Amino acid sequence: MQCQCASEVKGHTDVLCNVNSQLELSETCRALMNFKGGDDQKKLTLKLTGVGNTPFFLGFSCLPQLTNLDVSKTSLKLVRHMFKGLKLNGNLNLSTNNLRSFPLETFLGVVAVDELHLAHNRLVELNASSFAGLENIRHLDLSHNNITVIHFGALSNMSKLEILNLASNSLQVFSFKLLSPNISLDFFSLRNNYLTSLYLESNKTEAVPFHKSSHFDISENLIECSCSLAYFLHALPFPEDSLVNVVNTFCDSPENLRNESIAFLDSSGLVCTAPDIFMSYPLKQKDLLTTSSITLECHANGFPQPSILWITPWGDHFLHDQAHIPHNLKQNLQVRSSEIKNHRKYRELNVLMITDIKTDLSGHLVISNIRGSMHGNYTCLAFNTAGNISKEMDLSLYCGIKSTYTFSLILGGYCASSFLIFGFLVGFIKMVIVWLQHKLYFIVPYFSKATSTVTGVPNQDVCSVSGCNSLGVNPRSGDGSGKCEESSTTCPHSPASLSFIEEEYFHEEEQDTGQSDSNNMQAARQHRLRDTLEEAKGRWRDGVERKMERMRKNVQHIRESSSNYVHNIKESGSSAALRMKAGVAHGVETVKYQLQSFKELCGTGDMGTNTISTVTLETDIDSHQQSKVVKQMTFV
C-alpha cells in the first residue's frame, strides 16, 4: 500500500492511494484515520488506483468520512453491499470501469452521496433495484453507456434528483413516467441516442418535470414529429428557451417536416396514424419441436412508429420499452406496468432445461428452449398514440423424445449386434488358431527321417528308419527277436532318449579320462541342436502331409457325392420325360381313333341299323408295348 498527498487547497486534501488487495485497503483505512487525527475540519478526497479485478467483499465501510471517493479507471468489480456504510459528503466516481450491471443492493446503506458518476461504462439496462439506497442523490451521470431499457422503479425513487445525464446511449423511446412525479429537473440530456418519440398522455394529466429555468437536450436524435411530440411541446414552459442545442434538434420524419427545427415547429400540423400489421411470422399455424427455439416476428406501419406488445397463451406480457404504454391500453389489458417484462426465464423444479423469452430492439419475441406447456396462441399487439391492432399466431408443439428413444434403441441394437458378430468371428478365428497350434504340436512322429551321428563317440551304429513297432513284429516272438531287441536297445538317438544317452555317455567318458575335450563338447552340443531341428522339421512335415491327405479325401468325397447326386437327378428326369412322352402319345392316339369312330357314325347318312367299330390303342408305360382293342357297337 502506497499513499501520498496530491494537493491541498483551502483545507481540502487529495490523497492518492495504490490498493491491490483487501489487506491493503484495511491498511489504507488505518492510515487515513491516523492522518485525519483530531482535525475534523480537514476534508479528504480519496483516489484509489491499482484496484483491478480484486473483489472487495468487506466493502469500503472502514474508510473515514470523505468528501469524494474516486475509483474510476480501475476495472473495479462490484459485489453485493460493497458500499454499505460508506460515508460521503460529496460524490462517488465509478466511471470508466467496464461495468455491465449492478449486483443486488450494491448501493444499499451508503450514507449521504450527493453525486454518482457512471459514465463510460457498458451498462445495458437499468433495473428497479439498480440504485436502491440512493434516494437522496441529486446528480446522476449515466452518459456514454449502451442503455437500451429503463425499467419502472429504476429512477422513480430519486425524488431529489436535479441533474440527469443519459446522453450517448441507445434509447429509442422515453417516457416521463419513469421519473418521480415530485422531481423538478434543472438539466436533462437525451442527446445522441436513437430517440424517436417522447411520450406524454394525450389528456394532459401528465406534466413534464421542468420549471422555467430548466434545460432539456434532445439533439442528435431521430425525432418523429407526430402528435405525441405536440403534447410534449405544449407541456414545456417555454419551448424555445428550455431546449438547448437547438441547431441540432430537427425532425427526422415525416418527409414534409424533415430537418425542421423542433423549437419553432407549428404543433397544430402534427398528426398521428393508427398502426396496421402488414407482415407476421408465422403466418398461420407453426409446428415446432419441443426444446427448439423460435423468433416470432410482427411488423406494423403507423406514425409514430408502433411498438409491439406480446401476450403469451398463459397471460404474460412482453415489451421492449414498457414505459410508454398508454394508460387506456393498460386499463383494457388489465395489467400493471410492473407486470410487463422484456426478458424472463422460466424454471421448473427438478428440470434442467431453462426457457428464456425476451423481446429484441425490433420488437420480435425470441423463445429459446421452448417446452411442451407453451403451445397455443401468441398475440402480437401493435400500438401507438393513435390506436392499436392485434394478430394471433398459433404454435403447435410435438415431442421428439419418443422418436429419439426409438431411434436410439434401433441404433443401439445394430451396434450391439455388430459387435456381437464381430466378437464371434474373432473368437472363432482364435479358437481355430489355437486348435491348429495344439494339433500340430502334439503330432509327434515315431522316428526322425534324418540320420544322426555323434562326433567323438566310437562304435555308434546308425538308427534304422524302421523299428519293431513300425514293422508290426513282436519283439518277444522267436522270429527275429534278437534283431528287434538290438535295434530297440542300441539306438541312442531316438527323440525320447537322445539327450539322456548323450549326457550319460559324456559323463562316463569324463569319469574315465578325468577331463573332457572342450572342442568335442561344443561339437556335441551343435550336433544335438541340429538333431532337434531335424526332429521338429520331421514333425511339421508329417503333420502337414496328414492334413493335406485328409483334405484331399474330403474333397474327393464331396466330388463323388456331387456326381452321384447329379446322376440321380438326370436319371429321374429322363424317366419322367419318357413317361410324359408315352402319356401324350397315348392320348393323341386315343383321340384320333375316337374321332374316326365318330366319323363312321355321322358319315353314313342311313338311319337304319348300323354297326360302328371303335379301336382303342393302349400303351404300357413301363414296357412301352402297344395293343389295339377293337369294339363294335350296333345301333338299331
Side-chain angles (χ1 to χ4, degrees), residues 418-567:
S418 301
F419 281 111
L420 184 62
I421 295 173
F422 179 77
F424 274 122
L425 289 177
V426 172
F428 177 78
I429 293 173
K430 186 176 180 181
M431 183 180 66
V432 170
I433 293 174
V434 172
W435 180 79
L436 289 175
Q437 289 177 347
H438 282 273
K439 191 71 175 177
L440 294 178
Y441 180 79
F442 287 106
I443 297 177
V444 180
Y446 297 103
F447 49 85
S448 175
K449 294 185 179 181
T451 61
S452 61
T453 58
V454 179
T455 305
V457 181
N459 300 325
Q460 188 72 27
D461 295 333
V462 178
C463 234
S464 177
V465 177
S466 60
C468 299
N469 293 332
S470 61
L471 294 175
V473 180
N474 187 0
R476 298 191 179 275
S477 63
D479 187 11
S481 62
K483 185 178 180 180
C484 287
E485 290 177 359
E486 182 181 359
S487 175
S488 60
T489 56
T490 60
C491 184
H493 305 297
S494 63
S497 61
L498 177 63
S499 300
F500 172 77
I501 295 175
E502 286 180 339
E503 290 179 1
E504 183 179 1
Y505 171 75
F506 285 114
H507 181 67
E508 292 177 356
E509 183 180 4
E510 184 177 357
Q511 288 180 354
D512 295 336
T513 60
Q515 61 180 4
S516 62
D517 190 0
S518 58
N519 294 329
N520 293 335
M521 289 289 290
Q522 185 175 1
R525 291 192 185 95
Q526 292 178 355
H527 183 74
R528 287 200 302 270
L529 179 60
R530 187 166 53 253
D531 287 346
T532 304
L533 293 176
E534 291 293 337
E535 186 178 321
K537 188 186 298 182
R539 292 179 182 177
W540 175 261
R541 186 186 299 111
D542 187 71
V544 171
E545 289 178 355
R546 291 188 181 184
K547 291 294 180 181
M548 294 298 296
E549 183 65 24
R550 188 180 301 172
M551 186 179 297
R552 280 195 295 269
K553 289 182 179 180
N554 292 334
V555 172
Q556 185 65 25
H557 177 70
I558 293 173
R559 184 184 300 170
E560 292 177 357
S561 300
S562 302
S563 300
N564 294 332
Y565 183 71
V566 172
H567 184 69

Side-chain angles (χ1 to χ4, degrees), residues 590 592-602 604 610-616 629-635:
T590 302
K592 184 171 67 173
Y593 282 103
Q594 292 288 346
L595 290 175
Q596 183 67 27
S597 300
F598 278 106
K599 182 178 180 182
E600 294 177 356
L601 174 64
C602 301
T604 58
N610 293 312
T611 301
I612 298 175
S613 300
T614 60
V615 181
T616 303
V629 179
V630 180
K631 296 181 180 180
Q632 291 182 352
M633 292 180 291
T634 302
F635 295 90

Side-chain angles (χ1 to χ4, degrees), residues 168-223:
S168 300
N169 279 281
S170 301
L171 293 171
Q172 291 184 339
V173 294
F174 185 83
S175 174
F176 290 98
K177 291 184 291 185
L178 293 171
L179 304 176
S180 173
N182 300 323
I183 67 171
S184 181
L185 295 174
D186 294 333
F187 178 77
F188 181 31
S189 177
L190 286 169
R191 180 181 61 85
N192 190 25
N193 278 266
Y194 300 98
L195 198 66
T196 58
S197 300
L198 294 168
Y199 283 92
L200 284 175
E201 294 295 336
S202 59
N203 55 10
K204 299 182 181 181
T205 58
E206 183 182 1
V208 292
F210 299 121
H211 51 79
K212 293 181 179 181
S213 301
S214 300
H215 293 88
F216 181 46
D217 188 1
I218 56 173
S219 60
E220 302 179 27
N221 281 287
L222 305 174
I223 301 297

Side-chain angles (χ1 to χ4, degrees), residues 98-334:
N98 292 325
L99 300 178
R100 299 178 183 271
S101 61
F102 300 104
L104 187 65
E105 300 177 348
T106 301
F107 301 102
L108 189 64
V110 67
V111 180
V113 174
D114 187 55
E115 300 179 12
L116 177 61
H117 297 275
L118 290 165
H120 296 280
N121 282 291
R122 297 185 179 182
L123 300 174
V124 176
E125 59 180 350
L126 302 178
N127 296 314
S129 60
S130 297
F131 302 112
L134 299 177
E135 289 79 7
N136 297 322
I137 193 172
R138 295 188 303 107
H139 183 183
L140 179 60
D141 185 4
L142 292 166
S143 61
H144 298 280
N145 281 276
N146 192 30
I147 299 174
T148 58
V149 178
I150 301 177
H151 296 277
F152 275 109
L155 304 174
S156 59
N157 60 338
M158 301 178 180
S159 58
K160 297 182 180 180
L161 193 62
E162 297 176 358
I163 299 175
L164 177 59
N165 190 354
L166 289 169
S168 300
N169 279 281
S170 301
L171 293 171
Q172 291 184 339
V173 294
F174 185 83
S175 174
F176 290 98
K177 291 184 291 185
L178 293 171
L179 304 176
S180 173
N182 300 323
I183 67 171
S184 181
L185 295 174
D186 294 333
F187 178 77
F188 181 31
S189 177
L190 286 169
R191 180 181 61 85
N192 190 25
N193 278 266
Y194 300 98
L195 198 66
T196 58
S197 300
L198 294 168
Y199 283 92
L200 284 175
E201 294 295 336
S202 59
N203 55 10
K204 299 182 181 181
T205 58
E206 183 182 1
V208 292
F210 299 121
H211 51 79
K212 293 181 179 181
S213 301
S214 300
H215 293 88
F216 181 46
D217 188 1
I218 56 173
S219 60
E220 302 179 27
N221 281 287
L222 305 174
I223 301 297
E224 295 175 339
C225 294
S226 62
C227 60
S228 60
L229 180 64
Y231 303 145
F232 169 72
L233 294 176
H234 289 160
L236 287 177
F238 299 98
E240 63 279 2
D241 297 330
S242 300
L243 293 176
V244 297
N245 199 9
V246 177
V247 294
N248 292 322
T249 307
F250 301 108
C251 292
D252 185 72
S253 60
E255 189 65 30
N256 60 331
L257 296 177
R258 178 170 292 182
N259 297 328
E260 291 286 337
S261 176
I262 292 178
F264 307 101
L265 194 64
D266 182 10
S267 59
S268 61
L270 301 180
V271 295
C272 292
T273 305
D276 178 31
I277 297 176
F278 66 91
M279 188 180 69
S280 63
Y281 174 81
L283 297 177
K284 296 181 180 179
Q285 183 178 359
K286 175 70 174 179
D287 292 333
L288 193 66
L289 177 65
T290 304
T291 70
S292 61
S293 301
I294 189 173
T295 299
L296 303 181
E297 300 181 10
C298 193
H299 303 272
N301 286 327
F303 190 74
Q305 180 63 37
S307 299
I308 305 298
L309 173 69
W310 290 93
I311 305 175
T312 63
W314 57 94
D316 285 352
H317 296 73
F318 290 88
L319 177 65
H320 182 69
D321 292 303
Q322 69 270 32
H324 61 277
I325 300 180
H327 183 68
N328 58 349
L329 180 59
K330 286 193 292 186
Q331 287 182 337
N332 294 334
L333 295 175
Q334 297 181 353

